[in-house]
Amino acid sequence: MAIRVMVVDDQAVVRAGFAAIVDAEPDMTVVGEAGDGVSAVELATREAPDLVLMDIRMPGMDGLTATRFITAPETGPRVLVLTTFDLDVYVYEALRAGASGFLLKDARPEELLTALRVVASGEGILAPAVTRRLIDTFAQGAPPPPAVTGALGGLTPREREVLLHVASGLANAEIAAALGVTTGTVKTHVNALLTKLGLRDRVQATILAYESGLIRPGGGSSPAARPAGPPSPWTP
C-alpha cells in the first residue's frame, strides 16, 4: 500500500513542490495539503495520513503546536519536520512534542524521499549535518523529566549500552558490530528499551539520553552510564 502523506507549509509554491516530489513516487501518495497548523490538525483528523511533512514556522498555530495535537493519539500519524534553520529551538521542541525527526528544506529530493520512507517504516531520522549541534545546544537546558529518568532504572545493562549507541547516531548494523552481536539482537534490544521507556522511536530515545544525563552534550557518557569495575558478562 502507498504511504499516505500530508504536506503542510504556509508557502503555496513550496507546498506544491514537495507534493509534486512525493506524488511522483509509486509507493507514495499525497492525501492533503495545509497552509497552517489549524488546517493541518483538522485535515489530519479527517484524512488519517500515515505521515505528515510539517513546516515549523507558520502564522497562527505553528508547526510545533500542530505536531503536538497530531501525534497525541496513540495511532496518530508520524511527523517529519522541515526547517530552514539548522539550529532552531522550535525544531528541538517539535521532537519533544512527538515528531519523528527533522530535515532541512534544502535537502535534495532523494534525501527527502529517503527520510519519508524511513519515518514511515517506524524509525526516526535527524538531519545528519546538524544532529549533534542541535541536541548539544538545547539538551543542556532541558530539565530531566523525573518519570523518564526513573524509567531508565528498568533497563538492563545491555539495553542501556544500546541506548548510548543509539544516542550516538549509530545504525543497528553499526551497533551490532560494536557489540559483537547480530543486527536482529540489536533490534530486539532497541524495541525493548523503547517499550520500557514509552518512546515512539530512536529520535525520542536520543533526546531522552541527553535530557536524563545518560549521555553528556559533546558526545561523552556520564559516569552513571558506565558500569563500575570490570566489564560485566552481559549476554546479548
Side-chain angles (χ1 to χ4, degrees):
M1 294 180 62
I3 302 170
R4 294 164 48 82
V5 181
M6 194 176 90
V7 181
V8 184
D9 196 293
D10 64 333
Q11 299 182 46
V13 174
V14 174
R15 191 168 66 242
F18 285 133
I21 292 172
V22 173
D23 251 344
E25 296 300 299
D27 61 336
M28 299 184 192
T29 183
V30 174
V31 297
E33 299 178 31
D36 61 76
V38 173
S39 300
V41 173
E42 294 174 348
L43 190 60
T45 301
R46 185 168 67 249
E47 297 295 336
D50 301 311
L51 180 61
V52 178
L53 191 58
M54 177 74 74
D55 185 20
I56 199 69
R57 293 185 172 181
M58 297 180 290
M61 182 187 290
D62 61 17
L64 167 61
T65 306
T67 295
R68 185 174 292 110
F69 278 114
I70 289 172
T71 61
E74 188 172 337
T75 57
R78 303 174 71 82
V79 174
L80 176 62
V81 169
L82 287 170
T83 180
T84 305
F85 307 97
D86 64 358
L87 273 181
D88 189 334
V89 65
Y90 293 113
V91 175
Y92 177 73
E93 291 301 328
L95 296 177
R96 295 185 71 190
S100 293
F102 76 90
L103 199 65
L104 299 184
K105 282 189 176 181
D106 62 0
R108 296 188 302 273
E110 58 268 28
E111 292 175 330
L112 171 64
L113 294 171
T114 296
L116 287 170
R117 291 185 176 102
V118 168
V119 172
S121 73
E123 297 290 340
I125 193 165
L126 298 172
V130 299
T131 300
R132 189 62 58 208
R133 256 188 10 256
L134 181 96
I135 296 178
D136 283 358
T137 298
F138 296 110
Q140 296 179 68
V148 168
T149 54
L152 287 174
L155 300 182
T156 66
R158 179 63 100 186
E159 288 165 353
R160 289 172 72 91
E161 190 175 16
V162 170
L163 177 55
L164 285 172
H165 285 304
V166 167
S168 297
L170 297 187
N172 285 348
E174 294 171 316
I175 298 174
L179 300 181
V181 298
T182 66
T183 302
T185 296
V186 173
K187 288 181 180 178
T188 298
H189 287 310
V190 171
N191 290 335
L193 69 88
L194 291 178
T195 299
K196 288 181 179 181
L197 298 174
L199 304 175
R200 289 174 61 126
D201 50 45
R202 302 165 76 99
V203 172
Q204 290 190 338
T206 299
I207 292 174
L208 177 144
Y210 275 83
E211 289 184 334
S212 65
L214 189 64
I215 190 169
R216 292 171 174 169
S221 60
S222 68
R226 299 189 296 269
S232 301
W234 294 332
T235 55

